Amino acid sequence: MNFAAFALTMRGSVPLALLCALALTLGDRRDVLELGDEEFEYLAAEHETLLVMFHAPWCGHCKKLAPDFAKAASRLKGSVQLAKVDCTANPDTCKGFGASAYPLLKVFRNGVDAGSYTGPRTADGIVQYMRTQTGPDSVPLRTEEDLQAFVNNYDPSIVGFFPPGSTGLPEFLKAAAQLREQFRFAHSVEPDLGGPHSLDPPLGGPQTLQQHVVLFRPPRLSSRFEEGSVLFTDPVSVAALRRFIRDSLYGLCPHLTRENKERLRVRDLLTVYYDLDYRRNPTGSKYWRNRVMKVASRYSPRGLSFAVANKHDFLSELEEDFGLGMSEATELPVVTIKTRLGHKFTMREEFTRDGSSLERFLDDYFSGLLKRFIKSQTVPEINNSPVKVLVAESFEEVVNQPGKDVLVQFFSPRCPHCKKLTPVYTELAEQLYLDPNLIVAEMDATANDVPLGYDVQGFPTIYFAPVGKKDQPIRYEGTREVRDILKFLKRESRRPLVLNGVREEL
C-alpha cells in the first residue's frame, strides 16, 4: 500500500500532523538505501556514485548525523545515492570495509571502495562534497549556453579558456583533479567562447582567444561593490591556481557557513548575522549584505575582513561564545568581531539601515575603544582551597604572576574522566598546598573562554605555566597519578617543590 492509500484508510483516526511526520519518515527511508550483508555487493554495484554510512543503533554520533544524512539523500536524489549499513546486524560487510568506529562514511564508485568521505557532516556539506564526486574533474564547455549554465550556480566556478593545443590545459586539468572536492572546474578550447572574459584586445586588433582562467562568483552574491568575476592570466600551474583561488574566492563580503568557517576565520573577521537564506529569501538576504558591503568597501583596506551568515546556523555560538541573547525574535542583524588571537567584540548598538551604527562600531574598534567580550563565570569571593578556582576574568591575574609556577587543569563538569581525576588532583594540591612558589588550579573550560596558547580539545587537559615562560605553557601528557604529575613538576620547575611542608632537593 502506498502512502496516499494508507492516508485515506487512516483518515479520521490519525491526526494530520502525525500523517505528515510519517510521510517524511517514509520518504527519508526511501531516499537512504538500507544495505545488508546479503545484498551489499550487487546493490552497491548498481550505482555510479554511492555514499555509505556504516553505523550502529546505539552510537550517539550516528544518531546526531542521521537527520543531516537523510536531508542530503533527499537533495541528491537522482545524482548520488546515499545508503547505510547497520553494523550490529551486518558485521561481515562492516568488517570487510574496516568499520570499527562509528559512523564511518565511505564513497563507492560502481561498487568499488573509492576511499573515506572527508567532507563536512552537515546536510549542505554532504551535498556539496558529493556533487564534486560525480562527473569529470573539469566540465568541458562548448557554447555560451554551456558556460552560463555552469557559472549560474550557488557556489563559485573556476573556468579555464585555452587555445587548441595549449600547454596550460594539462596543468589546469591536473589542478582540477586535485581540488575538485573543494571547487567547481570547467574548461573550453572553443575559439569564440573565452573572448568576452579575457583581457581587452590590442587597440584596433581582433579579439582572439588567449589562455586565461576566470573565477566566477555565484550570481546570488552579485553586488555593485565588486566585480562578479576575477581574471587570472599568469602561467598556469597547480600551485599558482591554488593561490589565485585562495586569494580571490571570497571577495569583499563572503557568505560564512558551517562548512567554510575554518577557512574564513584565519583572519580578523567581522560577521553580520541575520535571517540570511538565499534559497527562500534572496531579496532580504541581498538587502542586508549590500548595506554591509557599502561599509566594508571603506574599512576592509584597514586589515579587517567581513562576512555575512545565517544566525540560525550559529545560534549556540552567538549565545555561548558572545553572550548574545538570540532567543528574542528580531529582524535586525547582530554583529561580532573575532580576531586571529581569539579576541571577541560585539556590537551592542542596534543595527541601523543606513549603516551608521556599524561605522561607529568600526571606528571604536580601530581606535581601541571597544571592551573585549570574555565568557567568564563570576570570580569567586573566597578561593582558599588547595585547588584554586580560575575563571576567564581572573585567569591572567593568577596564572601570569611573575613569581609563581601554576598548574592548571581544564575540565568539563559533565566529563567522567574529569570526575575520576578529581580525587587525584585534590590529593596533589593538598601535598603542594604549603609551597609558596606553586599554585594548583582548575578551570571549567565549558563556562569560560580558554586563553590563547592553551590548546584544549578534550577533557581533562593539564598545562604547566612556569616562571619565565608564561607564554609557553607546557602540556602534561603523562598518566593521571599523583606520583607521575609530581615527577613532571620536578622536571619542569626551576625551583624545588615543597611537599607536605618539606622542601625537596632538585
Side-chain angles (χ1 to χ4, degrees), residues 162 167-169 171-172 175 211-213 232 234-238 240-241:
F162 302 94
T167 58
L169 180 56
E171 279 294 306
F172 182 84
Q211 174 177 294
H212 60 282
V213 177
F232 170 80
D234 292 340
V236 177
S237 69
V238 175
L241 279 173

Side-chain angles (χ1 to χ4, degrees), residues 138-144 146-148 150-151 157-169 172-173 185-199 207-216 229-234 236 241:
S138 177
V139 177
L141 306 176
R142 294 179 175 82
T143 67
E144 183 67 25
D146 290 345
L147 174 61
Q148 294 305 319
F150 185 79
V151 301
S157 308
I158 298 95
V159 182
F161 300 95
F162 302 94
S166 168
T167 58
L169 180 56
F172 182 84
L173 296 178
F185 289 87
H187 65 279
S188 178
V189 294
E190 300 297 329
D192 298 325
L193 190 55
H197 309 286
S198 66
L199 294 172
Q207 180 90 33
T208 58
L209 177 63
Q210 300 173 333
Q211 174 177 294
H212 60 282
V213 177
V214 181
L215 186 150
F216 293 90
S229 60
V230 186
L231 184 65
F232 170 80
T233 57
D234 292 340
V236 177
L241 279 173

Side-chain angles (χ1 to χ4, degrees), residues 420-486:
K420 185 177 179 180
L421 178 62
T422 296
V424 175
Y425 201 69
T426 301
E427 180 183 343
L428 173 75
E430 289 173 346
Q431 292 191 32
L432 296 168
Y433 187 60
L434 297 178
D435 190 327
N437 302 312
L438 178 66
I439 296 173
V440 178
E442 66 180 8
M443 188 171 87
D444 180 351
T446 65
N448 298 274
D449 280 339
V450 176
L452 187 70
Y454 294 84
D455 183 21
V456 179
Q457 300 295 331
F459 304 112
T461 297
I462 299 174
Y463 273 96
F464 179 60
V467 170
K469 293 185 177 181
K470 298 293 186 176
D471 59 340
Q472 302 175 42
I474 304 165
R475 183 167 181 158
Y476 175 69
E477 302 284 4
T479 60
R480 294 164 186 166
E481 301 291 342
V482 172
R483 63 178 181 274
D484 294 318
I485 302 175
L486 284 173

